[in-house]
């Protein structure tokens, strides 16, 4: 009904605009008539005798005529009842060589007069009607300002999401099965005295499938599903967000049993009292109302709140206490097996060649989320369609992975031969360090073809997923990161080193500093320096607290530099031993631009 009303208002507005345009053109045309001048009857007779009159029109007691070669019309007023022949009785017939037209006054300008008289009033009336409707619509909008904008997905919708559509996340699905069972069979739990959690909060990195899990719970339970984002509660005016929360929970109780899903709840659920503007801002009022409503849920209403966030560290403790969001479900990044299952889901409607192995793709994508894997399959399909292929081959899959991770190929990037040589030795330094050091991942591919912001890439892949990282692995990875800069220095000298290693140095420094300040892997002992858990509403810079002295800060810098310098010396020693292979791989890389894992390892022999 709302769409029909909006459509009618638009149609009415268009009609008014069209009428205004037509009236404007008519008025312009009406006012743009030939200019007129009133003369005496004797003047008319003189003009006829002179043979200058071209045409004559008789309208009541007016003689309207036009002279040859002049745009102006002349009007002579005769006596009533006097004919044209009586006026021109002394003029010869030879001089009367003009046409005479008698205008019927009853019908000549009837419609013109009607239009001129009615159109302005019609436009004024139409304008007032339009303004009244607009005002009425504004009043309706003002009345609904405090209403919830939550979208309701009915239980009888044909396209429902189920747990079969959520690949991986086995532990998370097992936790949510209880929620589904409670919505289906609440009496079973109530009879034994069990209480199902009022709120379930899904915590995980972006793209891991938190929203998909919430939709799957609603689809499995076959109940109405309200979805809203946390940012939709917050408005400029204090109290609007709280009003919308009240309206949302009122709708939820009316449609019970149902599920209310609040995405990105950290938008309103941040810790209270942390901002500089006092404790009565709109966000805090909205959070207070959410807490009150969740406490006010009556037993047996069968309304479950599911929320999702990737920032659980900033949430208010009152939001996570038992009785509100008292069940936390962590949705981790998928492991190898889960990635393969996710790829199967997203490959359902895509024709793949027999050479495509989803297991291999899963091995090539450690640390990828479900959204990343979906993007890879979609990009591979786009690449295949772009080349007019009917099936997707491993080549499109590999190109899609590189595009998602690094970006598009930079075909317009023009590098000199010297720059290509520097990049080749730089990437070879990374590759050899990763190959020689036992705690580094295996080299999968080396390329000096520019993609995104990278001029060249050394692609490494782990043989299996790792959960814990050792001190030895950190040290080897820092040395491998510095292998590119060391290779440049060895081949081209200190004076010729370039800016290509800036990102490597940044990553190595951050890794070394985390070893010192977070992981207790230095001479400073097993102590954490710097508290990152007290970030306020204004952000990280204001919230980061320095809980150590200036002397400790100096020692942290010294330890960080010691770890990086040690790794740099180690990289230099290792690459000097592998000097021949450094030249061999770099020359082959300059020749082919891209080396596969097999081509690279063949350079080292058995």
């Amino acid at each position: 009904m709302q769409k029909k009303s909006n459509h009618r208002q638009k149609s009415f507005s268009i009609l008014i605009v069209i009428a205004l345009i037509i009236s404007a053109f008519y008025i312009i045309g009406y006012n743009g008539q030939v200019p007129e001048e009133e003369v005496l009857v004797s003047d008319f007779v003189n003009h006829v005798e002179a043979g200058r009159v071209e045409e004559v029109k008789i309208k009541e007691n007016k003689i309207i005529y036009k002279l040859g070669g002049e745009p102006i019309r002349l009007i002579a007023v005769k006596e009533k009842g006097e004919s044209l022949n009586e006026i021109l009785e002394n003029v010869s017939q030879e001089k009367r060589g003009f046409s005479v037209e008698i205008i019927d006054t009853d019908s000549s300008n009837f419609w013109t007069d009607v239009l001129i008289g009615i159109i302005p009033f019609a436009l004024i009336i139409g304008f007032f009607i339009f303004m009244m409707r607009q005002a009425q619509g504004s009043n309706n909008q003002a009345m609904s300002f405090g209403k919830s904008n939550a979208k309701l997905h009915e239980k009888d919708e044909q396209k429902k999401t189920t747990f079969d559509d959520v690949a991986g996340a086995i532990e998370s699905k097992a936790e949510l099965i209880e929620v589904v069972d409670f919505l289906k069979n609440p009496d079973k739990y109530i009879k034994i005295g069990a209480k199902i959690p009022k709120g379930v909060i899904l915590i995980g990195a972006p793209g891991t499938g938190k929203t998909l899990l919430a939709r799957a719970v609603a689809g499995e339970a076959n109940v109405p599903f309200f979805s809203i984002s946390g940012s939709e509660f917050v408005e400029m005016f204090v109290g609007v967000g709280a009003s919308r929360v009240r309206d949302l929970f009122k709708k939820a109780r009316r449609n019970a049993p149902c599920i209310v899903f609040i995405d990105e709840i950290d938008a309103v659920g941040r810790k209270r009292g942390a901002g500089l503007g006092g404790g009565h801002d709109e966000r805090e009022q909205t959070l207070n109302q959410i807490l009150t409503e969740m406490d006010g849920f009556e037993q047996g209403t069968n309304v479950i709140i599911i929320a999702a966030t990737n920032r659980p560290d900033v949430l208010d403790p009152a939001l996570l206490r038992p009785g509100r969001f008292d069940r936390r479900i962590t949705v981790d990044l998928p492991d190898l097996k889960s990635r393969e299952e996710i790829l199967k889901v997203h490959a359902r409607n895509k024709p793949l060649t027999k050479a495509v192995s989803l297991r291999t793709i899963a091995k090539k994508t450690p640390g990828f989320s479900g959204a990343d894997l979906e993007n890879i399959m979609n990009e591979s399909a786009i690449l295949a369609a772009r080349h007019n292929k009917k099936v997707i081959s491993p080549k499109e899959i590999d190109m899609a992975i590189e595009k998602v991770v690094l970006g598009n190929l930079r075909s317009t990037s023009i590098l000199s031969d010297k720059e290509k040589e520097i990049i080749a030795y730089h990437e070879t330094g990374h590759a050899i360090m990763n190959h020689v050091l036992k705690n580094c991942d295996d080299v999968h591919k080396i390329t000096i073809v520019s993609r995104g912001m990278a001029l060249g890439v050394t692609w490494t892949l782990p043989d299996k997923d790792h959960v814990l990282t050792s001190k030895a692995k950190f040290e080897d990875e820092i040395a491998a990161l510095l292998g590119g800069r060391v290779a440049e220095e060895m081949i081209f000298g200190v004076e010729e080193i370039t800016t290509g290693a800036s990102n490597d140095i940044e990553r190595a420094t951050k890794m070394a500093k985390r070893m010192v300040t977070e992981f207790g892997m230095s001479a400073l002992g097993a102590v954490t320096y710097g508290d990152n858990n007290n970030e306020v509403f204004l952000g990280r810079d204001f919230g980061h607290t320095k809980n150590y002295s200036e002397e400790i800060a100096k020692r942290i810098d010294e330890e960080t530099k010691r770890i990086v310098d040690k790794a740099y010396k180690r990289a230099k020693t290792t690459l000097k031993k592998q000097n021949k292979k450094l030249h061999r791989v770099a020359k082959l890389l300059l020749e082919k631009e891209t080396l596969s894992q097999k081509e690279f390892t063949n350079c080292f022999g058995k």
Side-chain angles (χ1 to χ4, degrees), residues 20-34:
L20 286 171
I21 293 172
I22 293 173
S23 302
F25 276 111
Y26 179 78
I27 291 169
I28 292 171
Y30 186 76
N31 291 333
Q33 292 178 352
V34 178

Side-chain angles (χ1 to χ4, degrees), residues 585-605:
V585 176
K587 289 179 181 178
L588 186 62
L589 185 58
L590 278 169
E591 180 184 344
K592 294 188 173 183
E593 290 192 337
T594 300
L595 297 180
S596 64
Q597 184 179 21
K598 186 177 181 180
E599 291 172 328
F600 171 69
T601 53
N602 285 341
C603 296
F604 288 83

Side-chain angles (χ1 to χ4, degrees), residues 248-439:
L248 172 62
F249 280 80
K250 187 185 297 182
K251 289 179 181 177
R253 294 188 187 96
R254 194 182 306 134
N255 290 274
C258 70
I259 291 175
V260 177
F261 176 62
I262 305 175
D263 199 7
E264 303 296 344
I265 195 171
D266 51 275
V268 292
R270 286 175 177 263
K271 294 173 185 173
R272 292 169 290 180
L276 298 180
H280 296 285
D281 62 353
E282 165 66 356
R283 181 185 55 81
E284 292 194 5
Q285 294 293 340
T286 306
L287 175 58
N288 291 337
Q289 189 62 46
I290 291 175
L291 299 177
T292 304
E293 290 290 342
M294 292 192 72
D295 269 346
F297 265 172
E298 300 88 357
Q299 294 296 325
T301 55
N302 296 353
V303 177
I304 294 177
I305 310 299
I306 299 180
T309 181
N310 51 20
R311 293 292 309 279
D313 53 313
V314 302
L315 294 179
D316 195 282
L319 200 62
L320 303 176
R321 73 155 176 82
R324 289 179 180 138
F325 289 108
D326 45 8
R327 175 170 291 194
R328 301 187 191 182
I329 298 178
T330 302
V331 186
D332 292 320
L333 290 170
D335 56 13
L336 177 61
K337 184 179 178 181
S338 297
R339 289 198 297 273
E340 186 178 1
E341 294 296 323
I342 293 170
L343 288 168
K344 286 180 181 178
V345 171
H346 297 304
R348 285 175 184 171
N349 61 338
K350 296 177 177 63
L352 306 175
T353 61
K354 294 182 179 179
V356 174
S357 170
L358 298 180
R359 181 80 176 179
T360 304
I361 300 173
K363 287 182 178 179
K364 291 180 180 180
T365 52
F368 279 48
S369 65
D372 293 330
L373 296 172
E374 181 184 7
N375 194 21
I376 286 172
M377 296 305 296
N378 184 57
E379 286 291 341
S380 63
I382 292 173
L383 289 170
R386 186 182 300 168
H387 296 93
N388 298 319
K389 292 185 177 181
K390 295 183 178 179
V391 289
I392 302 171
S393 66
K395 181 181 178 182
E396 282 79 37
I397 299 288
D398 290 340
M399 290 176 66
I401 294 174
E402 293 179 9
K403 183 178 180 181
V404 170
V405 176
L406 300 173
N408 290 320
L409 282 168
R410 293 170 59 184
S411 56
T412 57
S413 178
I414 301 174
L415 299 174
S416 64
D417 294 337
K418 181 66 178 294
E419 288 174 329
K420 285 185 177 179
E421 187 180 10
I422 292 172
I423 295 170
Y425 276 100
H426 182 101
E427 298 303 330
T428 303
H430 286 311
I432 290 177
M433 291 298 297
N434 279 284
H435 182 76
V436 172
L437 301 179
K438 65 178 183 178
N439 292 303

